[in-house]
Amino acid sequence: MRRLPALAIVGRPNVGKSTLFNRLAGKPLAIVDDRPGITRDRREARGRLGDLDLRLIDTAGYEDAATGIEARMRAQTERALQDADVCIFLIDGREGVTALDQRFADLLRKAGRPVILAVNKCEGARGEAGLGDAWSVGLGEPVPISAAHGEGMSDLFQRLIVELDGINLDTRPETDPDEAEISTDAEDPGFDPDSDDAPDEGAPLRIAVVGRPNVGKSTLVNALIGQERVITGPEAGLTRDAIAVEWEWEGRRVRLHDTAGLRKRGKVDDRIERMSAADTLRAIKFAEIVLLLVDAERPFEKQDLNIAARVEAEGRGLIVILTKWDLVADKQARLAEMREAFERLLPQVKGAPLIPLSAVTGRGLDHIMPAVKGLHRNWNAKVKTRDLNDWLGEMTQRHPPPSVDGKRVKPRYMAQTKARPPTFVLMASRAAYLPESYKRYLINGLREAFDLPGVPIRLIVKAGANPYAKKS
């Protein structure tokens, strides 16, 4: 099968790389702002230029730094150069060529990849000087474009066709087999996690990794896939975009979404952090299973519970990862306490797996994906109608609904209307009067009787008679 050509967009900070990435992807996947250094991890997506389908790679701004976050960002950019078939080297036409542009041009020459020199922000007269200045970097004729306004895309397409000519996309090996598939954005128009249709066999299992800032989300993603795919470090708030990473586990494609940390809404006063939070919430919405990372030294703070409640409200399967477990004393007793506290505070996801994890030793890492597999099976579960109604008869006989105004609510019939998550409809007389406590009694009974721990269960009560009852 012919693979898509990989196109990396590179350059120093704040020249418009993410704007061009979004333009070619056809939707706003990467966070864009006037401030430099917004992009930190490399992001991948499907894109299109003219009639050419592409694998796009957005990169962090390249900076000279030996240590710190800038050095880690540069390592991600250098990895993107290795993966690319062609690079678009973007220069800011309004600022002209800088010393950092020149150093980056030297790096590109050493990388040995075909390079298209593109001068961005060339709309209007202000970009003309920068366009002329771009010849000085020695990478051939520059292509004037405006990523924000879509100008120059046809010229860029013609240059790309020339640079791709002679590259055999059938035989050139991938740099890393685990990254052969494109990691696309969470918001895939062809994917509906709430659909009751059976997913395609080749479709990836979608997992979002969420939590408060600095609990180890990116570290977990890297540990699961076995490589430094996303930037990690002691600084809080390193991840800004929800970065999708594809890999394979036991023959099953998996798409992991590393997300920005979610703080309390009242503490979020920065535009970029608001955009990052919105990106994280979209990742939850389009996930099937969510891994919620919780600091074992400060477990189940209000924000942890808010995130878990959001996951349940979206109808996603939830697994709680207790990080920094190596620092916990009397581990067995502490785990029992945490289990009791979690199920008391969030009874709507009773039975959700709690997995202790130590980033220092890696202990607990091998328990995560088997738990995901089991929870995903429960999330897709379907119960036979006959079994449901046999169970309903036993539940109502054991504990009938209470009377309201001297008249009893009578449950008559139950059926499952969809899975993902399991959703049931109960037909009952005087349905509007059925107490919430009795609904919880039935939901807990469903969870226990049909072995559905850890997934949200929806119960809709409607007025009406049993449509299958014999008519006199």
Side-chain angles (χ1 to χ4, degrees):
M1 180 178 178
R2 185 178 175 84
R3 67 177 178 81
L4 297 181
L7 179 66
I9 305 171
V10 299
R12 62 179 175 82
N14 212 33
V15 294
K17 297 182 297 298
S18 293
T19 303
L20 180 58
F21 176 85
N22 289 342
R23 167 72 58 182
L24 298 181
K27 52 186 175 180
L29 302 184
I31 293 175
V32 175
D33 192 79
D34 291 337
R35 283 172 285 179
I38 297 303
T39 301
R40 288 172 173 171
D41 292 287
R42 70 183 190 272
R43 177 192 274 276
E44 301 182 14
R46 289 183 183 273
R48 191 174 180 86
L49 184 57
D51 61 356
L52 186 63
D53 290 318
L54 300 165
R55 172 190 173 200
L56 302 173
I57 309 174
D58 187 22
T59 64
Y62 194 87
E63 298 188 60
D64 277 336
T67 59
I69 184 174
E70 290 81 7
R72 283 171 265 156
M73 290 162 60
R74 187 177 67 186
Q76 289 286 330
T77 299
E78 290 171 349
R79 178 63 183 272
L81 293 179
Q82 298 171 15
D83 289 351
D85 294 302
V86 177
C87 298
I88 293 180
F89 178 31
L90 211 57
I91 289 176
D92 188 332
R94 297 179 181 179
E95 295 187 14
V97 176
T98 67
L100 186 54
D101 289 326
Q102 292 284 10
R103 286 195 290 274
F104 202 176
D106 292 337
L107 175 72
L108 288 168
R109 278 187 281 269
K110 293 176 183 177
R113 294 283 185 265
V115 177
I116 299 171
L117 176 62
V119 182
N120 193 27
K121 307 178 186 178
C122 275
E123 67 276 15
R126 289 182 59 190
E128 292 181 4
L131 181 61
D133 195 21
W135 285 92
S136 66
V137 300
L139 288 173
E141 182 179 0
V143 179
I145 68 169
S146 170
H149 298 92
E151 297 175 9
M153 293 300 111
S154 59
D155 293 335
L156 193 62
F157 170 71
Q158 295 299 329
R159 283 289 299 277
L160 182 58
I161 292 296
V162 171
E163 297 298 344
L164 287 173
D165 186 35
I167 296 177
N168 191 334
L169 298 174
D170 295 312
T171 59
R172 183 184 159 196
E174 297 283 347
T175 303
D176 191 320
D178 287 338
E179 293 190 311
E181 296 291 342
I182 298 176
S183 301
T184 55
D185 183 72
E187 195 166 344
D188 184 342
F191 173 75
D192 180 5
D194 297 311
S195 171
D196 202 33
D197 296 333
D200 295 337
E201 290 185 6
L205 169 59
R206 294 172 178 249
I207 303 172
V209 182
V210 304
R212 290 184 283 119
N214 213 31
V215 292
K217 297 180 293 296
S218 298
T219 300
L220 175 60
V221 170
N222 287 340
L224 285 171
I225 67 174
Q227 60 173 274
E228 293 297 315
R229 175 59 181 82
V230 286
I231 293 174
T232 60
E235 304 94 340
L238 283 181
T239 302
R240 282 174 170 159
D241 295 277
I243 301 298
V245 181
E246 289 212 8
W247 62 301
E248 191 172 286
W249 179 78
E250 291 190 351
R252 174 73 190 271
R253 286 176 60 204
V254 178
R255 183 171 294 159
L256 284 169
H257 290 271
D258 183 26
T259 66
L262 287 173
R263 295 197 299 160
K264 294 179 181 178
R265 184 177 299 180
K267 293 185 177 181
V268 178
D269 55 5
D270 180 81
R271 176 175 176 269
I272 298 302
E273 190 171 359
R274 289 197 300 271
M275 295 168 70
S276 296
D279 217 19
T280 298
L281 296 176
R282 277 196 300 272
I284 293 173
K285 180 178 179 180
F286 283 87
E288 296 169 274
I289 304 297
V290 176
L291 306 182
L292 171 59
L293 271 65
V294 173
D295 188 333
E297 292 189 299
R298 296 182 297 140
F300 307 133
E301 293 189 349
K302 185 176 181 180
Q303 184 64 354
D304 297 324
L305 298 175
N306 288 340
I307 297 171
R310 182 61 178 255
V311 173
E312 190 277 336
E314 291 288 354
R316 308 300 171 239
L318 177 67
I319 295 176
V320 178
I321 310 295
L322 302 169
T323 64
K324 304 179 184 178
W325 195 248
D326 49 290
L327 302 178
V328 173
D330 197 1
K331 292 177 170 51
Q332 188 171 357
R334 184 64 173 147
L335 182 59
E337 291 175 8
M338 290 185 182
R339 162 64 66 186
E340 185 278 330
F342 181 73
E343 295 193 350
R344 172 172 45 82
L345 295 167
L346 277 169
Q348 60 268 43
V349 285
K350 185 177 181 180
L354 265 64
I355 301 177
L357 178 68
S358 169
V360 175
T361 65
R363 186 174 181 180
L365 189 67
D366 56 347
H367 295 161
I368 294 175
M369 288 309 298
V372 167
K373 181 179 179 181
L375 188 61
H376 191 256
R377 182 178 59 248
N378 294 343
W379 191 65
N380 282 278
K382 294 184 178 180
V383 182
K384 293 180 181 179
T385 301
R386 179 175 178 177
D387 293 341
L388 269 176
N389 286 281
D390 289 345
W391 166 84
L392 179 62
E394 294 174 3
M395 292 292 285
T396 54
Q397 186 176 7
R398 183 187 312 164
H399 180 38
S403 298
V404 179
D405 296 331
K407 295 182 179 179
R408 189 174 297 280
V409 178
K410 294 182 179 179
R412 300 184 184 279
Y413 175 79
M414 180 179 280
Q416 183 174 1
T417 56
K418 67 182 290 292
R420 306 165 63 86
T423 302
F424 304 90
V425 170
L426 172 66
M427 309 301 292
S429 66
R430 311 187 78 217
Y433 296 96
L434 189 69
E436 288 297 323
S437 59
Y438 199 81
K439 292 180 187 177
R440 288 194 296 271
Y441 163 71
L442 293 176
I443 289 173
N444 289 334
L446 283 167
R447 194 183 303 282
E448 182 177 347
F450 299 106
D451 194 22
L452 299 173
V455 295
I457 293 177
R458 304 288 188 251
L459 179 60
I460 302 165
V461 183
K462 292 184 176 181
N466 182 351
Y468 295 98
K470 292 181 180 180
K471 296 181 180 180
S472 54

